[in-house]
Amino acid sequence: AAAMVLPAASQPASAATKAQEEAEYNELIAMLKARSEENQEANKNYAMRANKLAKEDFDDVKNRRPKLIIVSTSKGNKILTKEEFNTYNNDGKIDTVYGTRMKQGGGEMKDYNDITYVLKD
């Protein structure tokens, strides 16, 4: 019976939080609907254009794709955006480690194709 009383006691706090989340969600939906209605005519015209697969629509595909860099940390690997990586790198928090490979005549040399970025703690 005591276990049933606990959820009932904590229910008003979660109900208030749930109501707040629902209000924020409804506000977001209303904003998206308003934006959609504003752009309805432009979107309709854009969808009805004759040259849907024009080269101009795809020229910036490589630029739109975010540049992600994998960095090793003490807790495992972490994926950083180019901006985050540059920030850490400018602060001197990233070490660049190059792998090694065998020379043809024997011995080892740096392999500049095998790059590992390590985030200092």
Side-chain angles (χ1 to χ4, degrees), residues 16-71:
T17 306
K18 191 142 184 101
Q20 182 182 6
E21 286 177 7
E22 191 169 327
E24 290 175 4
Y25 176 75
N26 290 338
E27 184 180 332
L28 174 68
I29 295 297
M31 183 187 71
L32 292 174
K33 282 184 180 177
R35 186 187 312 166
S36 176
E37 289 171 8
E38 286 175 16
N39 297 332
Q40 186 174 11
E41 191 65 30
N43 290 339
K44 183 178 174 186
N45 291 339
Y46 187 74
M48 296 304 291
R49 72 192 191 287
N51 192 5
K52 291 183 182 176
L53 296 176
K55 181 180 180 300
E56 294 81 29
D57 289 340
F58 300 97
D59 277 344
D60 64 341
V61 168
K62 287 187 178 180
N63 298 336
R64 282 192 312 228
R65 185 174 55 204
K67 177 78 172 150
L68 301 175
I69 301 169
I70 298 175
V71 178

Side-chain angles (χ1 to χ4, degrees), residues 99-116:
T100 57
R101 62 183 174 130
M102 299 301 293
K103 292 183 184 178
Q104 278 185 329
E108 291 185 344
M109 64 181 278
K110 278 188 181 179
D111 183 1
Y112 291 102
N113 292 322
D114 181 15
I115 301 173
T116 304

Side-chain angles (χ1 to χ4, degrees), residues 70-85:
I70 298 175
V71 178
S72 295
T73 64
S74 58
K75 298 175 184 170
N77 291 340
K78 186 175 183 182
I79 298 176
L80 301 177
T81 63
K82 184 75 171 168
E83 293 80 19
E84 291 171 327
F85 178 83

